[in-house]
Amino acid sequence: MAKLKTILILTLLMAAVATLQAHLEEDMEEERMHPSFKEEKSGKILLMAREGEDTNEFWLNMGKEFVRQQQKQQQNTNVAKNVIMFLGDGMGLTTLVAARNYIDAEHTKLSFEEFPYIGLSKTYSVDKIVPDSATTATAYLCGVKANYGTIGVNAAILRDDCQAMKNSSNHVYSIAKWAMDEGKSAGFVTTTRVTHASPSGVYAHTADRDWESNADIEQVCGADHGLDDIAQQLIYGEVGSRLKVMMGGGKSAFIDKTLYSQGWRTDGRNLIEEYQKQSPKYQYVETKEQLEQLDFSQTERLLGVFNDGHLDYHLDSLANPENTQPTLEEMTKKAIEFMQLQKDKGYFLFIEGGRIDMGHHDTKARLALDETKEFSQAIAVAREMTSEEDTLIVVTSDHSHTFSVAGYQDRGSDIFSLVSNADDKLPYEPLSYANGEGYYKHFDVKNSKRVNPEEVLKGEANDVFPATVPLDSETHGGEDVGVFASGPWSHLFTGVYEQNAIPHMMAYAACVGEGLKACDSLSDGSMK
Ligand SMILES: *[C@@H]1O[C@H](CO)[C@@H](O)[C@H](O)[C@H]1NC(C)=O
Ligand SMILES: [Zn+2]
């Protein structure tokens, strides 16, 4: 009997120890996943982004103020006379978080975060989970999802299908055309080549985003291809030839290489000269100064091409005393000024911050964040120059990147500052990528170890950030992107929807296109 008792007690004791041990393990597991930073601090917040964040009042007042603002919100059901669509190429949500901090330690809002209505856009293409800027331009401008690498054509056309391209029943048209067909002006501004994927979505139909000049098509389809390259479509196309504003970079795609040393064409043509010859009021400018001095009373159409290739990154322009390129903000201002002078029934403008994407592709986060800041400023200017009463502004992105904001940095610290320490006893950078060129600089492959990020990241514009998988060019990311809307019918843009729904919502608000229109469906049956 005594023996049995002992066994029972022993068993209970063992069970208790086991429970205790499990608890300890859980605690350790908890500590491993959500460290308490006990060694670093003694219950005191070292840095606070704003005075008062350690009080109740600060947060309670902020929350109440937000509710006050939200409940005052009135739905704007005016017809949108004007629509401005801003596209931050490759501007995923993590880019926004990091860009806020880049602008100033953590409490600055990007201009478009103040917009009243926000939604999420699903970006996949017909053939890929993670899309590119060509197929997404087709979705958010033409309202149809298509295949990777194609622009202004439906998914019946695969990339590089020279023959199928000729069948125009597979072509799809952008909201720029829908707007012009209703008597509005249309145009675009970009920091990339004017023939690059996103702006091409406004006016081009092509089975390959790379067919920017005739030489590019010939390489794939042979000499007798019978297709119009993107530059040609801008100058002569059904939509391109009616655009009032076209600004960006990319002179090379327009001129023969024997006529211009940086030219790409091989057909002996200079399409910019051909455009200018059509009318003395078809103005062409190449520098910021020429743009500023342009006499709008003598301008019917405006073509601004400010570089052979893409425009320089803003940080590179700043560092270049010879810079002659306008900023995105300056181009935006001029484009809106010009549109406002037109006697048409309003306008559609597409404005792209196109190099956020390219900064990320090179895992140069600082460039990407600075381009995001520039993009935000251009939107602020557009909002100042227009009225919410008659202008719908939609800000979105085509796709995300593999960009990550990670680690437990203290509030108020610079987003680039390193976090200490990883398991290899080296500090790590909170901004990194799932793949890309950054791998090569941050991993010492020969010795199977990480390079101390302090040796790579110098606080310079061209700093290369770490990446996990070695890849020459970092890839896009597949998560949804934000859509921020302000002005007439901006409340339509709430929810989670397919990317190709975006132009249909803009068309509804502006009463253009073939779908349902705001002006047809007023509740009292009257027409506005
Ligand atoms: C063009 O495409 C349409 C739709 O896919 C198809 O019905 C038609 O037969 C095609 N025409 C030619 C000439 O291939
Ligand atoms: Zn890209």
Side-chain angles (χ1 to χ4, degrees):
M1 194 62 191
K3 205 173 173 191
L4 246 178
K5 234 184 201 170
T6 316
I7 289 172
L8 194 70
I9 288 167
L10 261 177
T11 312
L12 280 173
L13 214 67
M14 271 161 66
V17 167
T19 313
L20 201 71
Q21 195 150 13
H23 241 295
L24 267 172
E25 272 167 22
E26 263 170 40
D27 283 352
M28 277 165 65
E29 186 68 356
E30 197 48 45
E31 176 63 21
R32 186 173 73 81
M33 291 186 182
H34 310 110
S36 59
F37 309 111
K38 280 188 196 102
E39 328 74 46
E40 289 173 32
K41 292 178 210 137
S42 46
K44 199 169 179 310
I45 299 164
L46 300 181
L47 281 163
M48 230 179 319
R50 288 162 298 194
E51 196 63 35
E53 285 192 3
D54 55 350
T55 67
N56 270 5
E57 290 74 39
F58 181 88
W59 298 106
L60 294 178
N61 290 342
M62 179 192 282
K64 288 174 193 164
E65 184 49 39
F66 187 70
V67 173
R68 223 183 327 273
Q69 276 174 33
Q70 290 296 85
Q71 60 89 28
K72 271 198 312 208
Q73 200 76 251
Q74 300 245 318
Q75 293 193 345
N76 178 344
T77 55
N78 296 342
V79 170
K81 182 179 179 211
N82 314 308
V83 178
I84 308 178
M85 179 178 201
F86 279 93
L87 196 279
D89 198 313
M91 188 186 70
L93 294 176
T94 45
T95 301
L96 300 187
V97 174
R100 276 177 216 150
N101 180 287
Y102 174 77
I103 293 168
D104 99 43
E106 234 157 321
H107 54 272
T108 303
K109 276 188 194 168
L110 294 159
S111 58
F112 48 95
E113 287 178 48
E114 286 167 12
F115 284 17
Y117 298 100
I118 318 289
L120 289 175
S121 145
K122 297 192 269 188
T123 67
Y124 67 88
S125 68
V126 171
D127 59 340
K128 300 277 182 194
I129 293 173
V130 178
D132 79 318
S133 299
T135 183
T136 52
T138 311
Y140 64 70
L141 285 165
C142 305
V144 170
K145 288 213 181 192
N147 292 320
Y148 185 92
T150 66
I151 299 167
V153 296
N154 65 26
I157 296 190
L158 295 174
R159 188 170 192 176
D160 282 348
D161 189 337
C162 310
Q163 280 313 311
M165 247 328 284
K166 291 180 184 150
N167 186 344
S168 60
S169 63
N170 294 325
H171 295 187
V172 292
Y173 289 89
S174 78
I175 187 170
K177 179 177 189 295
W178 312 347
M180 290 192 293
D181 287 350
E182 296 296 332
K184 295 185 191 293
S185 310
F188 71 85
V189 168
T190 178
T191 52
T192 68
R193 294 190 293 269
V194 292
T195 50
H196 205 244
S198 314
S200 296
V202 171
Y203 61 86
H205 314 281
T206 180
D208 193 320
R209 56 182 287 169
D210 295 336
W211 294 351
E212 292 178 65
S213 78
N214 76 304
D216 304 308
I217 305 189
E218 264 181 47
Q219 271 182 12
V220 180
C221 306
D224 301 324
H225 52 75
L227 296 169
D228 292 339
D229 56 81
I230 299 173
Q232 202 176 347
Q233 292 188 51
L234 179 58
I235 303 301
Y236 292 103
E238 184 182 350
V239 177
S241 64
R242 291 157 67 196
L243 296 174
K244 292 243 166 102
V245 173
M246 302 151 277
M247 279 195 270
K251 191 173 173 182
S252 296
F254 292 85
I255 312 180
D256 189 281
K257 52 171 80 161
T258 62
L259 302 173
Y260 182 59
S261 66
Q262 298 303 311
W264 290 350
R265 304 192 72 83
T266 54
D267 55 4
R269 296 172 75 169
N270 179 335
L271 295 176
I272 292 173
E273 253 177 39
E274 291 179 28
Y275 157 86
Q276 287 176 286
K277 279 185 186 150
Q278 291 172 30
S279 162
K281 289 194 168 181
Y282 285 12
Q283 301 289 359
Y284 172 67
V285 293
E286 296 202 322
T287 66
K288 173 184 170 136
E289 204 180 3
Q290 289 169 355
L291 177 63
E292 275 162 11
Q293 290 169 357
L294 194 61
D295 179 357
F296 278 165
S297 74
Q298 297 305 308
T299 306
E300 245 170 56
R301 298 178 68 210
L302 164 55
L303 174 62
V305 182
F306 305 102
N307 205 11
D308 291 332
H310 303 307
L311 299 193
D312 294 335
Y313 286 112
H314 168 249
L315 283 178
D316 290 342
S317 289
L318 273 184
N320 174 12
E322 319 266 272
N323 173 54
T324 59
Q325 301 173 12
T327 62
L328 183 61
E329 180 183 331
E330 288 161 348
M331 290 191 291
T332 298
K333 194 157 173 275
K334 279 289 173 187
I336 295 175
E337 266 172 32
F338 185 61
M339 284 304 195
Q340 288 175 341
L341 288 171
Q342 305 306 306
K343 298 201 173 61
D344 297 322
K345 297 185 211 153
Y347 57 84
F348 171 77
L349 256 181
F350 175 74
I351 301 177
E352 184 196 27
R355 304 213 65 194
I356 300 166
D357 178 66
M358 297 174 193
H360 280 322
H361 277 306
D362 287 339
T363 62
K364 294 180 175 174
R366 211 176 268 273
L367 291 179
L369 298 185
D370 187 72
E371 293 297 306
T372 306
K373 178 184 173 191
E374 288 294 295
F375 181 64
S376 172
Q377 285 172 8
I379 294 157
V381 160
R383 214 161 179 231
E384 277 165 26
M385 293 177 74
T386 57
S387 161
E388 280 175 74
E389 292 304 307
D390 67 0
T391 304
L392 170 66
I393 302 183
V394 177
V395 179
T396 188
S397 178
D398 45 0
H399 54 73
S400 185
H401 271 271
T402 73
F403 183 57
S404 162
V405 180
Y408 302 102
Q409 266 186 318
D410 287 328
R411 279 294 303 295
S413 50
D414 178 345
I415 194 83
F416 300 107
S417 58
L418 301 179
V419 184
S420 61
N421 269 342
D423 294 349
D424 57 7
K425 311 285 181 250
L426 292 174
Y428 66 95
E429 166 57 46
L431 304 182
S432 69
Y433 296 85
N435 57 46
E437 194 194 335
Y439 175 90
Y440 299 104
K441 293 219 156 148
H442 287 268
F443 287 91
D444 176 352
V445 179
K446 217 156 72 195
N447 298 307
S448 304
K449 61 172 195 173
R450 236 158 35 95
V451 175
N452 188 334
E454 284 166 4
E455 291 169 30
V456 186
L457 299 165
K458 304 288 185 192
E460 289 162 8
N462 280 295
D463 275 356
V464 171
F465 287 71
T468 314
V469 173
L471 207 58
D472 169 53
S473 177
E474 183 265 355
T475 69
H476 298 163
E479 80 272 19
D480 299 353
V481 294
V483 184
F484 306 78
S486 136
W489 295 97
S490 49
H491 50 285
L492 295 186
F493 290 80
T494 49
V496 182
Y497 38 82
E498 298 287 351
Q499 188 166 49
N500 67 296
I502 294 172
H504 298 288
M505 292 188 274
M506 296 191 292
Y508 177 88
C511 293
V512 303
E514 290 170 1
L516 200 61
K517 297 180 177 69
C519 37
D520 296 338
S521 59
L522 296 172
S523 52
D524 62 357
S526 66
M527 298 287 287
K528 264 203 178 166

